Amino acid sequence: MKIISYNVNGIRAALTKGFTEWLKSANPDVLCLQEIKALEAQIPTEVFTELGYAYQYYHSAEKKGYSGVAILSKIKPKHVEVGTGIDYMDKEGRVLRVDFDTLSVMSLYLPSGTNPDRLDFKLTFMADFQKYIDKLKQTIPNLVICGDYNICHEAIDIHDPVRNATVSGFLPIEREWLDKFMKSGFIDSFRYFHKEPHQYSWWSYRANARNNNKGWRIDYHLVSAPLESRMKRALILPEAKHSDHCPIVLEVNDK
């Protein structure tokens, strides 16, 4: 099973930048999207159906043009869970899960804390999400949580760890949470296969950051420990340029 996660920073904008052609070539079995910034009715879903994604699920924010996640799949899931049941999370359309026979895939868009009034919201979300996942793993042990976590884990994951140490996304409290979250039973699939530096998934639009590869790795496939032996490959695809993020890839054996 090939799973791709991609914060598209607006699905309609991405579609004007060759996203459909890229998706046809990349050809994942499951595509997790974040920051779709649209209601399902505003998305030309037929273009995805034509590419074989017969199963499409969208969880949009109540606020128009904001947040939202989606999962497109060529494989029929046995169950779909829209949201978490936690009201303030679900109003912003940040969590969506599909369950297949031997594993479950979640699309997560964790809030940004770059605005001072949103940092407390982000920290509350992180704490509540940890509790939610701790409980979920009791019934869904084979879980892949894909998405934009808006946190760099370690210094290797950011181009300038010193000057960004006081910036949300690399704050000690955020990094500590992500570290504990991983240690609660998840594997950073990219780092499992790749130890080299300068591998990023997001770049600011400012100061020619992408061309200079001054980026952050804030997008992850976190894989629950029982799936470790089934992981085959993990990649970042920086050549895909439909967003300020780029896609990330995970391949796992489906049995």
Side-chain angles (χ1 to χ4, degrees), residues 4-58:
I4 289 183
S5 181
Y6 198 173
N7 179 321
V8 289
N9 194 10
I11 184 61
R12 290 171 291 178
L15 285 167
T16 68
K17 301 174 185 176
F19 181 80
T20 307
E21 293 76 11
W22 168 83
L23 180 58
K24 183 177 181 180
S25 176
N27 194 32
D29 299 294
V30 180
L31 176 66
C32 294
L33 301 175
Q34 300 87 41
E35 210 171 354
I36 59 173
K37 294 184 175 180
L39 302 172
E40 182 176 355
Q42 297 174 307
I43 299 168
T45 57
E46 66 279 359
V47 302
F48 303 127
T49 304
E50 290 170 3
L51 293 179
Y53 296 95
Y55 308 99
Q56 302 180 32
Y57 308 99
Y58 299 88

Side-chain angles (χ1 to χ4, degrees), residues 118-164:
R118 290 287 286 181
L119 181 57
D120 286 344
F121 179 88
K122 180 180 184 179
L123 298 176
T124 299
F125 187 107
M126 286 154 47
D128 288 343
F129 186 71
Q130 174 79 73
K131 294 173 188 174
Y132 172 75
I133 294 298
D134 287 346
K135 184 177 181 181
L136 181 65
K137 284 195 301 178
Q138 296 173 20
T139 54
I140 308 286
N142 294 339
L143 179 62
V144 179
I145 306 177
C146 313
D148 177 3
Y149 285 70
N150 266 311
I151 303 170
C152 290
H153 182 209
E154 296 179 332
I156 193 175
D157 299 312
I158 190 167
H159 75 95
D160 190 344
V162 175
R163 283 191 286 186
N164 284 301

Side-chain angles (χ1 to χ4, degrees), residues 55-69:
Y55 308 99
Q56 302 180 32
Y57 308 99
Y58 299 88
H59 183 28
S60 302
E62 289 185 0
K63 180 180 176 181
K64 291 184 177 180
Y66 179 73
S67 188
V69 292

Side-chain angles (χ1 to χ4, degrees), residues 230-242:
R230 289 166 56 183
M231 295 194 306
K232 302 300 292 181
R233 192 164 70 133
L235 302 167
I236 295 175
L237 304 178
E239 68 279 5
K241 297 179 178 178
H242 316 96

Side-chain angles (χ1 to χ4, degrees), residues 159 200 202-216 241 244:
H159 75 95
Y200 308 123
W202 175 82
W203 301 262
S204 170
Y205 281 129
R206 296 191 294 264
N208 208 24
R210 190 161 190 166
N211 286 339
N212 293 318
N213 200 30
K214 293 184 175 181
W216 302 40
K241 297 179 178 178
D244 51 348

Side-chain angles (χ1 to χ4, degrees), residues 211-224:
N211 286 339
N212 293 318
N213 200 30
K214 293 184 175 181
W216 302 40
R217 190 174 72 95
I218 57 177
D219 300 88
Y220 302 83
H221 289 289
L222 295 191
V223 178
S224 61

